[in-house]
């Protein structure tokens, strides 16, 4: 049961990083790619129907950690209280900006909403990488590299998502932005992933890190060839494989001096959680898949004044 719930939590964090990754990227690119209010609304419209559902993944992941690994949960959140607090501030600023952007009347208020979306997206994307980078390696350099990698990959992932979900000038700018973001993401991945795999000390994590780097390079090549769907699948594969390598390192020691077995709840608690998860998770996944299917079409600026 301990292994099963560790894998479940890794799955939930992976889903969060994949889905919120492009949300963060779109928010970070909002002032960069848009030319006027209509294009800003076009960009926000790509994530408007799904961003709040994407955030459910992190709530579920942290809730599962609280129930299945209470020692890990308490030590992680208390030990990294300030960065977690700043993540929450960033998520609130972004959420308020996204919710109120279509309701405000003046340009000044719209600009404040845009600033909240941008700042919250950049801050949260950077801090997630910084937190997990420090957990795995425990150095200031790992913190900075982890944060920079997380942010650059989010921008790349978001740019590819925008090129897939928009039409017109924003789509063309998004493709160019993806290539520029890759110039930072690829070297950082080459630098960071071997360190993560080394911390895990398991052959499969080296394979995951290598495959992740290959997927990232493939994504860059595909977006250069204007194959947006395949490029998005490649950046998604990178995030998935990189997160697998990360949790391979955390399996060895979720926090310094703490083993997974020491962090876990009692067997009875894990059994009850398993039944709850088996009943609830399929419905949540089905609903979110249906949401993405409904809002699958490209967005244009037509009809946006």
């Amino acid at each position: 049961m301990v292994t099963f719930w560790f894998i479940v939590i890794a799955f939930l964090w992976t889903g969060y990083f994949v889905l919120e990754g492009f949300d963060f990227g779109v928010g970070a690119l909002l002032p960069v790619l848009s030319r006027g209010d209509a294009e800003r609304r076009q960009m926000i419209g790509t994530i408007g129907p799904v961003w709040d559902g994407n955030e459910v993944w992190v709530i579920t992941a942290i809730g599962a950690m609280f129930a299945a690994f209470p020692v890990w949960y308490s030590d992680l959140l208390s030990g990294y209280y300030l960065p977690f607090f700043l993540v929450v501030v960033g998520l609130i600023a972004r959420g308020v900006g996204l919710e109120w952007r279509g309701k405000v009347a003046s340009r000044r208020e719209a600009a404040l909403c845009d600033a909240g979306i941008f700042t919250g997206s950049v801050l949260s994307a950077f801090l997630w990488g910084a937190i997990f980078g420090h957990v795995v390696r425990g150095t200031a350099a790992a913190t900075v590299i982890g944060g920079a990698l997380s942010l650059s990959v989010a921008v790349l992932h978001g740019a590819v998502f925008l090129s897939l979900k928009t039409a017109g000038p924003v789509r063309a700018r998004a493709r160019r932005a993806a290539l520029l973001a890759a110039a930072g993401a690829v070297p950082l991945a080459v630098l960071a992933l071997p360190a993560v795999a080394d911390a895990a000390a398991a052959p499969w994590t080296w394979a995951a890190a290598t495959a992740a780097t290959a997927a990232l390079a493939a994504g860059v090549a595909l977006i250069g060839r204007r194959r947006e769907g395949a490029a998005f699948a490649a950046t998604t594969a990178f995030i998935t494989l990189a997160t697998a390598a990360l949790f391979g390192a955390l399996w060895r020691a979720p926090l310094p001096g703490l083993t997974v077995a020491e962090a876990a709840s009692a067997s009875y608690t894990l059994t009850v959680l398993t039944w709850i998860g088996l009943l609830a998770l399929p419905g949540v996944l089905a609903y979110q898949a249906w949401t993405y299917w409904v809002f699958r079409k490209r967005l244009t600026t037509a009809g946006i004044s």
Side-chain angles (χ1 to χ4, degrees):
M1 282 295 182
V2 172
T3 302
F4 172 77
W5 272 99
F6 187 86
I7 293 172
V8 169
I9 289 169
F11 170 76
L12 293 170
W13 277 106
T14 301
Y16 176 67
F17 290 145
V18 168
L19 299 175
E20 278 279 77
F22 65 73
D23 285 349
F24 291 147
V26 171
L29 290 167
L30 185 62
V32 179
L33 301 186
S34 60
R35 306 290 186 270
D37 186 67
E39 290 186 352
R40 282 191 287 275
R41 291 172 64 186
Q42 179 190 15
M43 290 177 64
I44 293 170
T46 63
I47 61 173
V50 298
W51 71 268
D52 48 356
N54 294 343
E55 282 193 354
V56 171
W57 286 79
V58 72
I59 297 170
T60 308
I62 292 176
M65 289 174 65
F66 169 76
F69 298 95
V71 178
W72 183 19
Y73 164 88
S74 62
D75 288 359
L76 179 66
L77 268 68
S78 61
Y80 293 87
Y81 178 83
L82 180 58
F84 271 108
F85 173 77
L86 292 175
V87 166
V88 172
V89 170
L91 293 177
I92 291 172
R94 187 190 66 142
V96 170
L98 288 168
E99 284 294 328
W100 283 94
R101 184 61 171 77
K103 300 177 176 66
V104 298
S106 70
R107 291 184 178 179
R108 179 177 176 275
E109 291 171 330
L112 287 174
C113 290
D114 293 343
I117 295 168
F118 170 78
T119 304
S121 298
V122 171
L123 182 65
S124 300
F126 179 86
L127 285 173
W128 282 127
I131 290 169
F132 283 104
H134 192 272
V135 168
V136 171
R137 301 300 299 185
T139 66
T143 305
V144 174
I145 293 171
L149 175 61
S150 179
L151 178 57
S152 62
V153 169
V155 173
L156 170 60
H157 196 44
V160 174
F161 178 77
L162 282 170
S163 71
L164 181 64
K165 288 288 293 179
T166 61
V170 171
R171 180 185 182 188
R173 294 186 206 118
R175 284 197 296 261
R176 292 193 292 270
L179 295 174
L180 290 173
V186 172
L188 286 167
V190 171
L191 180 64
L193 289 181
V196 173
D198 182 64
W204 73 265
T205 57
W206 281 101
T210 302
T213 306
L216 185 61
V220 176
L222 288 164
I223 194 65
R225 297 174 61 184
R226 302 188 178 187
R227 296 180 58 187
E228 291 105 339
F232 185 73
T235 55
T236 296
F238 168 79
I239 296 171
T240 301
L241 291 164
T243 306
L246 168 65
F247 274 84
L250 295 177
W251 172 256
R252 187 180 184 189
L255 287 172
L258 180 69
T259 67
V260 171
E262 292 170 341
S265 293
S267 177
Y268 177 77
T269 302
L270 295 179
T271 301
V272 172
L273 286 174
T274 300
W275 283 108
I276 295 173
L278 290 174
L279 291 172
L281 191 58
V284 173
L285 294 175
Y287 172 77
Q288 192 152 38
W290 175 80
T291 302
Y292 277 94
W293 175 256
V294 169
F295 296 102
R296 67 189 181 278
K297 293 183 179 179
R298 288 185 183 272
L299 298 182
T300 69
T301 56
I304 299 178
S305 58

